[in-house]
Structures are given as structure tokens and as C-alpha cells.
Amino acid sequence: SDSLLELLREGKSVGFTHSLFKLMTEEHTQEIERQGYILIIDEELSMIEHYNGVKPGDIHLLCEKGVIKVDYNNFGQVSWEDVNYRDGAFTELRNLCKLDMVYANRNNIDFLTTHLPIKLITSCKRVVVSTYLFKDSVFDCFCKMKGVETTKFLDIQFDNVGVKDKIRSLIEFVGSEQVEKMRGMIKGRRNNYLSQNWYVKLNDSVTPVSSLIRNVSLTNGAKTNKPDADGFYKDCDVMYTFPSKMLKKNAGNSKRYINPKGYGNDACWVGCSVRATNKYANRWLLIHAYNRYPNKNVKLYMQGYGVYIDDEQFALAEMVQWVWRSRIRNGEPIKLCIASERMEKLFKEWLYLEDE
């Protein structure tokens, strides 16, 4: 962060990761504005996230005691008022409040979100976001809520004729029999099956999902391997996704985690929201077992200020990005298995519909 500030003061062209945005201060934004920087963002930036660093009821209590104050005229910004507070259970909350990063839901004060300062965007002379399916994304909705206007980038024109034909020729859908078997084994299946909420509340074993991944991998002749010295499985063929809570290291109970024999988590699991990396560009067998929805608290927070995240657009955009972590990004063919009916429908509708 200090090194970045020095480079900004010198007016240098700088490249840095998304995570460094969270360490930037008002000094950084002042230099960005003074120097007239143009910011180019590779893929969508997470400007708003759910904050779960406090227990239900804590915020009510802190408000009653005058420790914090909520300003609903400024998007529910939470300010820290207790100058005598020493480090304790709310140290992290206090520090985030001092950075003007904590905001409360208009309809339920216990639901908190953290925001990156909008000045990271507005202090720039111009901001260009290089991504796909930006419209109605969480980033787009956040900008709308904060009053930041966005327009389509037209400086460079792209010819999309034939692009979807090429993409379709590179994707083979596999595992239909195994998927139908898995769906039949899931008891009390609801419309949101394979969603985060479904996985967390599931009382039965997740064996059907684990079996699906293993059987599809074996049927298609996929291999895994031992990690190299850096812990990376460079010759692994498979990538799959489901909630991180279901990973062996997080779930604990053997019936509550998914770790297919021969295709373990360390080698094959790739988070559903992973973007902007070439790390998995050798993978050719993809198994998507996650019915995705926006974070409920983030969605409800934005609704309180008249901005609505599109569930279907969110799920599709994220899945397209996930698929493009594989070797299809290099123009090489892949095999794809989608376990959720909803996600399969969304992806195939997108795939067989020509872009405007």
C-alpha cells in the first residue's frame, strides 16, 4: 500500500491486484485524482460484500449504547462513536467503520455489508471495466445505487459474428445419465436444490453429488496427479465447484463433505466466483454442481435503496466466467457437466442465443 502510494505520487503507470483496493486510503484517492489517472479493471470488482463479523443483536445493542450510529441518509453508513473503546470483540468492526466501509440494511439493522469506497472509482478521470455480461451485475447495480453512470465501451469495436458458433464447437455436454441419477437420489428436491442454502440445510448425505463427480470423471477418462513442489496439480484434468463449506477441510463430518476418491478437493475444486486467472487453463473436464444466487444480505441491502440484482443474470455471468478458467480460453475443446437444472438451462440458453 505504501509502495503504491509512492508510485502514484510519481505519476507512474501501475498494475495491481483487486485485493490491493481494500488497502487504499484517502491519500491514494487524492493522488489518483490529482494525477488524472485512468483506471482499467480486469473483470468485475467486488465493491460490496456481506459482513458477518458480528452476532445477531449486537448492532442493536451497540446502537442503544451509543457506540455506533447509522446514517440512513447516506446508504445506512455505520460510524463508530465510542472514542474510549479498547481492543475487544468489535475491534474489526470499529476499524472498518473508521474507514467508512460498513453499511446497515435499511429494513434490518443486523444485516451489515462492507463497501469499498466509491471514491476509488469517482476519483479517476475515467474507468474502463474489461468484463463480460456487465449489465445488471452486482458491480453495475452498486454503481447505480451510488449514482455512478456507466456506458458501453465503444472505443474499440468487436466483430462477434461466428463467435458463438466457435464456442459451441468447443463444448461437449457430458454426464446426462449420471446427472439424472443424482437428481433422482436427492430427497425432497426443491427448486433451489444445490444452492448454498440447500447444501447448508441438507440433513442427508452429500454422497450423490460426490458420486456424480467421480463417475463423470471416470467415465470420461480424466486423470489427477500428485502436487508439485508448489502444491499445484499441473497435470490434473478435472475442475469442479460447489460451496466451500462442503470441502473436506471445512465440513468435518464425512457425510457432510464432498471429496471424490481419486479427484480430491486440493487438486480439482475451483471456487465458483474465481476470475482473472490462467491457473486452470489446462483443465478440460468441468463439473458444475452449484445452483448460484446472489448473497441474500447484499441483495436485500440494495433492494432497500431501490436497486435490484437479477438472479438469473448473476448466475449466468458467474458461470460463464468459471467455465472460461478452463482450457476453452485457449481455444481448446472441453467437456462440461452441469448438475443443476436451472444452471444448465441458463447456460444453454445463453450458448445457443447469438449476442447482439
Side-chain angles (χ1 to χ4, degrees), residues 155-178:
D155 293 28
I156 302 174
Q157 298 294 319
F158 296 95
D159 183 3
N160 292 327
V161 176
V163 171
K164 281 287 183 70
D165 288 334
K166 175 64 174 176
I167 293 172
R168 287 190 285 266
S169 72
L170 294 175
I171 299 177
E172 177 186 353
F173 291 98
V174 298
S176 57
E177 291 185 10
Q178 292 96 330

Side-chain angles (χ1 to χ4, degrees), residues 55-100:
K55 299 176 182 177
D58 283 347
I59 298 302
H60 270 293
L61 182 62
L62 292 174
C63 278
E64 289 175 0
K65 291 188 174 183
V67 176
I68 62 172
K69 183 171 65 176
V70 180
D71 182 4
Y72 287 111
N73 292 318
N74 187 23
F75 302 103
Q77 183 176 330
V78 181
S79 58
W80 191 271
E81 303 293 313
D82 186 356
V83 295
N84 297 315
Y85 181 81
R86 297 183 179 181
D87 288 348
F90 303 110
T91 299
E92 181 184 67
L93 177 64
R94 179 199 62 190
N95 294 343
L96 289 171
C97 287
K98 288 186 175 182
L99 292 172
D100 298 333

Side-chain angles (χ1 to χ4, degrees), residues 201-269:
K201 293 184 177 181
L202 185 66
N203 293 320
D204 298 322
S205 168
V206 291
T207 299
V209 181
S210 189
S211 297
L212 167 72
I213 294 171
R214 174 171 165 76
N215 291 336
V216 170
S217 299
L218 288 172
T219 301
N220 287 279
K223 67 179 185 299
T224 184
N225 69 318
K226 293 182 179 181
D228 59 21
D230 297 322
F232 183 60
Y233 295 76
K234 64 180 180 179
D235 295 323
C236 182
D237 296 329
V238 183
M239 58 183 273
Y240 53 70
T241 196
F242 48 75
S244 60
K245 289 180 180 290
M246 298 297 110
L247 292 171
K248 182 178 180 179
K249 64 181 180 181
N250 296 336
N253 188 317
S254 62
K255 291 185 177 182
R256 299 291 300 139
Y257 66 72
I258 302 169
N259 192 40
K261 185 178 180 181
Y263 304 96
N265 296 163
D266 291 340
C268 304
W269 184 82

